[in-house]
Structures are given as structure tokens and as C-alpha cells.
Amino acid sequence: MKRRNRRKKPNKLILVLLLLIILLSVILIVKKQNKEETIDTSKDLQQNTVEVNKVDEPNVSQEKTTSMSLIMVGDNLIHESVYLDAKRHANGNSYDFRPMITRIKEKVQNYDLAYYNQETILGGTELNLSGYPTFNSPYEAGDYMIDAGFNLVSTATNHALDKGERGILNSRKYWDKQKDVLVVGTYSSKEQRDEIQIKEKNGITYTMLNYTYGTNGSKVPTGKEYLINVWPTDLSINAPKKDTKYQAYKEKVKQDIAKVRDKVDVLIVAMHCGVEYKSTASSYQKDEAEFLASEGVDIVIGTHPHVIEPVEWVDNTLVFYSLGNFISSQYRDSNYNKLVGLMSSLNITKTTNEEECTIKIDKIENELIYTSYKNEQDRSNIQVIPFSHPDIAKYLPKYESIYEIYKNVVQSYDKSMYVVPVYEK
């Protein structure tokens, strides 16, 4: 649990009123003293004095507390087998992903905010659907997540330019229709990119920023850098401080943070970076986390490695280095590392009084989730199951030993990070 105090700036009008009140009080006290000196304090008058019991005014506290909850999952990675499975659910008419995540929806709808990373572009069928290596997903891949309750979405990923500029524009057109969802990372114009998007829930204001390390070699059109937020890293270099391009973009990120930091209670940054299939944070991820913490970011959410990485506090900033995959049909190895992800949650409490505002993040829980499919030859019947759900034993018989592996990964930087226990038979 960490707290972040933000002292309120004094209001000039209030200061002037306080000075006037003090001045009037002094005048009244002087007048009262003069009047008492002229009153006859004889014994007879004292005997006729009636004592009145004063009733003390109640001590009304000006402190106010409110809270909101947040749940997070990782990459929504729509392989061809995933959208073909969704097509079967819809009986060939459109795409229905909802049956895949019914057990997740049960949990997500209990939270105020729900985050996920849309790994693949939602360019729609008009751009021809496709899987690896250049993805394009149907709009329904966003519909089912919104239906489940997700309302925070990052879209700056290494696959965001798989269908070029038109892919981003199609995707953004879709997302712009979702009025209750905060979507960041890719944009249709410079004005949209520069807009400060502030949301509010239960009296707590928040926003999110999002960056990707790169775009798989696809070039952002010259003069249209607004299309996607890039904070490039050279994964072949293990020393971010020597990477001049990385440092130059860091200044841009710093400016983005400065624009919003004092305007919201909670600032989240979603980072799409790291080394794929590696269960420890890279030097770039560590450097980014330290930098974002120094700039006052409250929560850093990492995606891209497709496997779980540790969770830790960096000063007052809570960092999830990688939540792994949420849904995919990647290869199933002996440790299921690409099919086991994190579903993490926390509570944010805001306490205000006349002088300061305090933001507290606590009740951090990390739950393992498993994406199941039929077999390597037929990757259908896709289901996402929490390890605490009774069905986990049916879909992943060795779930208890797998749980121990990834519990150790989550806690490898901070042993106090809570991992939700498995379902007990």
C-alpha cells in the first residue's frame, strides 16, 4: 500500500475573507471590554443574573473519502483461429467472442474500471481479416470486451500499423463510437492525440497514456506521427541510457505527463514493451518504470512480452511489467507460459480535507487466468478460465503446479504481492 499526498494550493479569496474575520473579531473584543467596564457590577445585579448553558457547536469534519476499483488483463491477441472460433459461435453470421470469456465477465462487472490491451488492429472485414504476422481483426473483437465491462483500452502496439494508416483510422472510427470507453495510443488526428481526456468515477478523476516500443518495422507516415504514440527502444542494446533516440522520445513522454499530472487524481501509463517470452523485466522496462515513477505516475501497466512478468512498487508507483496474454491461440508448451496471464485488481481511495488530497492504492490482487483450446491441430473451443474457478481442473489438470510457477514469477521482485489461491477441490 502506498500513499501519494498532493497539497492543495491556497485560495486567495479565502485568505482575504479570513483576514477580514480576524479583523472584525479584534474590533468586537475591544468593544466588549469597553462595555464591561461601564456595567454596574453591584451585588444586586449579580443576584439577578440568569446563567444560560451554552450548547457547543458540533465539530463537523471536512474530510471526505471516496474510492474506485480497477481490474486489468493483458493482450487481446486475435489469431485467425480465435476469430474463426467466434464465427462458429455466431453460426457463420458475423463473429461472437462472448462465449469465450463468460467466466471473466462475471468478475469484471464488479469493478468500476477495467483495462485491457487491444493487441491487434480492429480494421474490420473491409480490410480483409488476417492473423499472424500482420493482423487485422473484426470490430466484434472490441464489442465482446465492452460487453464484458472493459472501459480502459490501450491500442499503441507493435501491430498497430499492420494495415497501415487506414487500419488505424478504421479502428479509431470504431472506438470513437464507444463514448464510455477511454481509448488511448492511436489517433486519427493531431488534435485528437493532443486532447486531454479526463474521466471521473466516484469523485475520482483519472486518465491514461499509452506508448509502444515500435511497429515491427512499419514506418509511421511522415507528418502523421500523431497516428501512434511511439517510445522506441532498441532491444539489441541492454543500456537505455546510451540509446539517444530512446532518450529523445523520453522528453516527449515527459511533456505528455506534465500536461495532465496536476489535472487528475490518478494517472495510468500503459507501456507496450519488453522482450517477448521473457519472464523478467528488461533494462528498458526498468528504466521506463523508474522514469515514470519520478514523473509522478501512479500505475504502470505493461504488455507485449505475451508472458507474465513480476509486479512491484517503484517508489510510489505500482508497476505491472507484463500481464501476459488475455486471449490468444499461441503455442502450448509444457509450462503454458503464453496461455497463462494475469488478471490483476486494486482499489484506489481518495481522501480530501481543507489542505491536501491523498491517493492510496491498496487491496492489490493478482489472479492467474488460463486460455484453453481443443488441441494444437484444432485450436477451437477457446475458453478463458480463472485459476480460482471450479472449471480450471477440467481445462488444465496440472493447474496446481502451473500456479506455483507463475506465483513465483509475480512475486520475484516483491514477495508481498498477493496471488489469489487456486480453486480447491
Side-chain angles (χ1 to χ4, degrees):
M1 179 184 74
K2 299 279 182 173
R3 295 174 181 266
R4 189 186 298 278
N5 295 329
R6 298 194 181 94
R7 191 166 296 279
K8 292 184 175 180
K9 294 179 181 179
N11 189 302
K12 291 182 180 179
L13 179 59
I14 293 174
L15 290 175
V16 172
L17 289 173
L18 285 172
L19 288 172
L20 286 173
I21 291 170
I22 293 169
L23 183 60
L24 288 171
S25 299
V26 171
I27 294 170
L28 288 172
I29 291 170
V30 171
K31 283 187 175 181
K32 184 177 179 183
Q33 288 176 342
N34 291 338
K35 185 175 180 182
E36 286 176 350
E37 289 175 0
T38 61
I39 292 176
D40 184 357
T41 56
S42 65
K43 192 174 182 179
D44 292 338
L45 285 174
Q46 287 180 19
Q47 288 175 346
N48 291 330
T49 299
V50 178
E51 185 175 333
V52 179
N53 291 327
K54 288 187 177 181
V55 179
D56 293 333
E57 292 183 5
N59 183 19
V60 181
S61 173
Q62 298 299 311
E63 189 170 273
K64 182 180 178 181
T65 299
T66 186
S67 66
M68 70 177 180
S69 54
L70 167 65
I71 192 167
M72 301 158 276
V73 298
D75 298 331
N76 199 34
L77 182 52
I78 309 299
H79 291 97
E80 182 180 14
S81 52
V82 178
Y83 68 71
L84 289 179
D85 202 32
K87 193 169 187 177
R88 281 189 285 269
H89 287 306
N91 295 319
N93 182 24
S94 186
Y95 300 85
D96 187 1
F97 295 83
R98 290 173 297 177
M100 302 178 187
I101 62 165
T102 54
R103 301 169 189 83
I104 300 299
K105 181 177 178 178
E106 294 169 4
K107 289 180 174 285
V108 169
Q109 294 195 330
N110 294 321
Y111 289 81
D112 297 312
L113 303 183
Y115 163 88
Y116 86 95
N117 176 58
Q118 183 55 55
E119 177 78 22
T120 57
I121 201 75
L122 302 186
T125 54
E126 61 264 40
L127 297 186
N128 297 321
L129 302 186
S130 54
Y132 181 83
T134 52
F135 292 89
N136 178 45
S137 306
Y139 301 127
E140 290 86 350
D143 292 343
Y144 87 112
M145 296 298 282
I146 296 171
D147 175 71
F150 288 94
N151 51 19
L152 274 178
V153 185
S154 57
T155 59
T157 77
N158 56 308
H159 289 289
L161 276 173
D162 280 1
K163 291 296 180 179
E165 179 181 354
R166 189 179 172 194
I168 288 181
L169 295 179
N170 275 24
S171 175
R172 195 67 228 197
K173 187 176 180 180
Y174 166 81
W175 286 116
D176 288 345
K177 296 175 184 176
Q178 318 306 325
K179 299 303 180 186
D180 296 325
V181 182
L182 177 58
V183 182
V184 295
T186 56
Y187 309 94
S188 58
S189 67
K190 186 178 185 302
E191 291 73 22
Q192 187 178 56
R193 194 267 177 208
D194 292 340
E195 179 187 356
I196 297 175
Q197 299 185 71
I198 296 176
K199 296 284 188 177
E200 180 270 332
K201 186 68 179 181
N202 301 339
I204 301 175
T205 56
Y206 64 91
T207 195
M208 184 169 72
L209 302 173
N210 173 217
Y211 306 88
T212 177
Y213 75 92
T215 54
N216 288 351
S218 297
K219 280 197 169 187
V220 180
T222 303
K224 295 184 177 181
E225 289 77 13
Y226 57 78
L227 287 171
I228 181 168
N229 282 344
V230 180
W231 184 357
T233 60
D234 185 345
L235 299 179
S236 66
I237 300 175
N238 201 33
K241 292 179 181 177
K242 297 179 181 178
D243 190 336
T244 54
K245 182 181 281 190
Y246 172 79
Q247 294 296 332
Y249 275 81
K250 184 184 280 189
E251 287 303 309
K252 176 58 179 172
V253 176
K254 186 173 184 176
Q255 292 170 21
D256 290 344
I257 293 172
K259 280 172 58 178
V260 299
R261 176 59 283 184
D262 290 338
K263 294 179 174 62
V264 293
D265 298 312
V266 178
L267 175 57
I268 303 167
V269 174
M271 288 302 310
H272 198 74
C273 62
V275 180
E276 288 184 327
Y277 317 123
K278 186 178 179 182
S279 58
T280 56
S282 69
S283 60
Y284 279 100
Q285 287 169 285
K286 284 280 193 179
D287 187 79
E288 285 167 346
E290 291 170 6
F291 169 72
L292 294 172
S294 71
E295 295 300 315
V297 173
D298 296 294
I299 302 167
V300 176
I301 307 174
T303 57
H304 173 63
H306 303 303
V307 297
I308 294 172
E309 291 183 347
V311 182
E312 71 170 341
W313 287 101
V314 177
D315 296 328
N316 287 321
T317 302
L318 182 59
V319 180
F320 301 85
Y321 286 104
S322 175
L323 296 174
N325 284 333
F326 171 60
I327 195 167
S328 74
S329 60
Q330 286 195 286
Y331 174 69
R332 181 190 292 164
D333 62 12
S334 59
N335 288 333
Y336 302 86
N337 64 343
K338 293 176 282 295
L339 300 176
V340 176
L342 268 187
M343 181 166 61
S344 298
S345 62
L346 53 86
N347 196 64
I348 300 166
T349 303
K350 175 184 176 182
T351 303
T352 55
N353 56 38
E354 292 178 351
E355 294 185 352
E356 66 181 11
C357 167
T358 301
I359 300 297
K360 179 177 72 173
I361 297 173
D362 63 358
K363 299 180 181 176
I364 303 159
E365 296 187 353
N366 300 284
E367 181 163 9
L368 300 180
I369 56 176
Y370 172 61
T371 299
S372 170
Y373 51 74
K374 194 170 182 180
N375 56 55
E376 291 298 325
Q377 290 70 41
D378 180 6
R379 301 186 188 189
S380 62
N381 192 28
I382 296 168
Q383 303 283 316
V384 185
I385 308 110
F387 273 57
S388 63
H389 196 282
D391 288 347
I392 191 65
K394 172 185 174 183
Y395 289 94
L396 184 62
K398 52 190 293 189
Y399 71 95
E400 291 171 310
S401 61
I402 296 297
Y403 169 86
E404 291 300 326
I405 292 172
Y406 296 109
K407 177 184 177 183
N408 290 334
V409 171
V410 172
Q411 296 180 336
S412 58
Y413 294 171
D414 184 344
K415 295 297 182 186
S416 70
M417 286 297 164
Y418 178 68
V419 181
V420 176
V422 298
Y423 167 73
E424 294 186 5
K425 299 176 185 178

